Amino acid sequence: MATRREHTSHESSERILSAAAELFAEKGYRQTTFAAVAERSGISRGSIPWHFGSKEGLLLAVLERSVQLISAGLAEEPADAEGAQAGLDRIVEGAHALWALPTTKLFATLLVEALEPDSPIHGRYAEIHHTLRDHCRRRLERLELPPGISAEALSAAIIGAGIGIHQQWLLAPDRVDAERALAALRAMVAAVVTPAGT
Amino acid sequence: MATRREHTSHESSERILSAAAELFAEKGYRQTTFAAVAERSGISRGSIPWHFGSKEGLLLAVLERSVQLISAGLAEEPADAEGAQAGLDRIVEGAHALWALPTTKLFATLLVEALEPDSPIHGRYAEIHHTLRDHCRRRLERLELPPGISAEALSAAIIGAGIGIHQQWLLAPDRVDAERALAALRAMVAAVVTPAGT
């Protein structure tokens, strides 16, 4: 059983992570200071490096936590074609639920950091894209695709649409109806795939 | 006729704009200094504010120039359904040509700035998305779409896919085949639209 001290330490680091995820999402990485994280989390400024080392360490921990949240939402479905199609629908619907979390904006505000080849998050961020494509690809492989179109290429297009609809909506929530755009994406996917063997 | 002095001034501001677009694309906005723009362009540091006022003015001018480049690539096609379908193909193919320009990375590195509601580029950046959707929507409106799917929603999904494929490829060019992902997007679009009247 965890001791009381361990409980408290875990709680503190969770509070720091939540506050940091919010602030990175709101302001981006460079504009976020330990002082702001301390204020938002109610944890003393001095104990943040004790938990996460540097600001870079905090950033990596925040990303790691987001990856766990996303992966948890992508459980496997039955291996038949019907399950695969339901699974694709779930990925697209999952996008909508994901966007409802304010911290999903994190991925948009951290993009500039991720694009620096020697940034600490470059590899981790690319890995998140890969994980999403992979979930999508495994479902597509159980379905019949048009000639010349691979499950891998189609995954990049579907996950890409999710990323790009999200960003358009973040920039102009009054002008972009994210829910209807996702429905249009679902219609495009349904039009191009057929259950294998039909 | 433009005088020699005007020619020179126009040439200088073009050189500054090219250098700034490259540097913003490579490093993002905040990491780019007037000194770096001066070094890259070969124009003296002091004359940059003379041309563009502040760094913010330079950023806006760089965005404006990119918008002109994009718009020039989106000429209108004949108003019939065949022309509309060819036009959609051209938008998707145009994406590939656009990504070949190193400065297209600009849109990814400037996203964090654009997301700040009071940023000078927020409105301009959102307007670029809107222009792209609009070009796409006008073509879709000449075609038959599935019931319940509007041209507007489908435009957001198609432009979104372009944005998102680009970013996946920027982050992992060895793992994402952008050309094949665009071909998959084209197949999805073709599967969902039918020429009106058929």
Side-chain angles (χ1 to χ4, degrees):
Chain A
M1 228 180 92
T3 63
R4 173 156 180 117
R5 176 181 286 274
E6 279 165 343
H7 263 308
T8 315
S9 169
H10 178 73
E11 269 171 41
S12 300
S13 71
E14 278 298 309
R15 275 163 64 188
I16 295 168
L17 280 176
S18 296
E22 284 171 25
L23 288 163
F24 290 154
E26 287 166 24
K27 298 171 185 294
Y29 173 63
R30 277 171 203 154
Q31 304 291 97
T32 298
T33 59
F34 274 177
V37 175
E39 200 192 325
R40 174 85 52 115
S41 64
I43 307 287
S44 76
R45 192 208 161 292
S47 69
I48 303 174
W50 185 82
H51 283 280
F52 298 103
S54 58
K55 190 168 134 185
E56 212 172 281
L58 180 57
L59 175 62
L60 277 167
V62 164
L63 258 190
E64 216 56 53
R65 192 164 166 262
S66 301
V67 173
Q68 282 163 14
L69 280 175
I70 293 170
S71 297
L74 293 168
E76 286 297 325
E77 291 81 23
D80 60 2
E82 216 172 298
Q85 205 134 23
L88 279 177
D89 273 353
R90 281 219 350 204
I91 288 179
V92 178
E93 275 154 25
H96 204 249
L98 206 62
W99 300 348
L101 306 171
T103 50
T104 303
K105 194 181 168 189
L106 189 70
F107 293 101
T109 56
L110 292 182
L111 181 63
V112 65
E113 260 78 34
L115 283 167
E116 306 245 351
D118 51 358
S119 124
I121 62 161
H122 172 86
R124 205 66 199 91
Y125 195 110
E127 203 54 41
I128 295 168
H129 281 175
H130 182 73
T131 302
L132 290 169
R133 283 194 302 270
D134 222 45
H135 273 280
C136 196
R137 183 184 53 71
R138 282 208 301 278
R139 284 156 183 83
L140 288 170
E141 276 169 353
R142 296 182 210 135
L143 300 162
E144 194 99 45
L145 304 182
I149 304 297
S150 69
E152 198 169 329
L154 197 52
S155 301
I158 295 169
I159 297 303
I163 294 168
I165 295 168
H166 181 222
Q167 289 177 11
Q168 290 173 80
W169 170 76
L170 280 174
L171 275 157
D174 298 338
R175 286 170 109 175
V176 176
D177 188 328
E179 204 163 347
R180 297 186 73 182
L182 282 175
L185 172 61
R186 250 199 333 262
M188 281 202 287
V189 176
V192 88
V193 301
T194 41
T198 58
Chain B
M1 225 181 92
T3 63
R4 166 147 188 124
R5 177 180 287 272
E6 280 164 345
H7 264 307
T8 315
S9 168
H10 178 73
E11 268 172 40
S12 299
S13 71
E14 279 298 308
R15 274 165 64 190
I16 295 168
L17 280 176
S18 297
E22 285 173 23
L23 287 163
F24 289 154
E26 288 165 22
K27 297 170 185 296
Y29 174 63
R30 279 174 201 153
Q31 304 291 94
T32 298
T33 60
F34 273 177
V37 175
E39 200 193 325
R40 174 85 52 115
S41 64
I43 307 286
S44 76
R45 192 207 163 290
S47 67
I48 303 175
W50 185 83
H51 283 280
F52 298 102
S54 58
K55 192 169 133 185
E56 210 172 284
L58 180 57
L59 175 61
L60 277 168
V62 163
L63 257 191
E64 216 55 55
R65 192 162 166 265
S66 301
V67 174
Q68 281 164 14
L69 280 175
I70 292 171
S71 297
L74 292 169
E76 285 298 326
E77 290 83 24
D80 61 1
E82 215 171 301
Q85 205 134 23
L88 279 177
D89 273 353
R90 281 219 351 202
I91 290 179
V92 178
E93 276 156 25
H96 203 248
L98 206 62
W99 299 348
L101 307 171
T103 51
T104 303
K105 193 181 168 190
L106 191 68
F107 293 101
T109 56
L110 292 182
L111 180 64
V112 64
E113 260 78 33
L115 283 167
E116 306 245 351
D118 51 358
S119 124
I121 62 161
H122 172 85
R124 205 67 200 90
Y125 195 110
E127 203 54 41
I128 296 168
H129 281 176
H130 181 73
T131 302
L132 290 169
R133 284 195 300 270
D134 221 45
H135 273 279
C136 196
R137 184 185 52 72
R138 283 208 300 279
R139 285 156 182 81
L140 288 170
E141 276 169 354
R142 295 180 211 138
L143 299 162
E144 194 99 44
L145 304 181
I149 303 298
S150 69
E152 200 169 327
L154 196 52
S155 301
I158 295 170
I159 297 302
I163 294 168
I165 295 169
H166 182 223
Q167 290 176 10
Q168 291 172 80
W169 170 75
L170 279 174
L171 275 157
D174 298 338
R175 285 171 109 174
V176 177
D177 188 327
E179 205 164 345
R180 297 186 74 183
L182 282 174
L185 173 60
R186 248 195 340 257
M188 282 201 286
V189 176
V192 89
V193 301
T194 41
T198 59

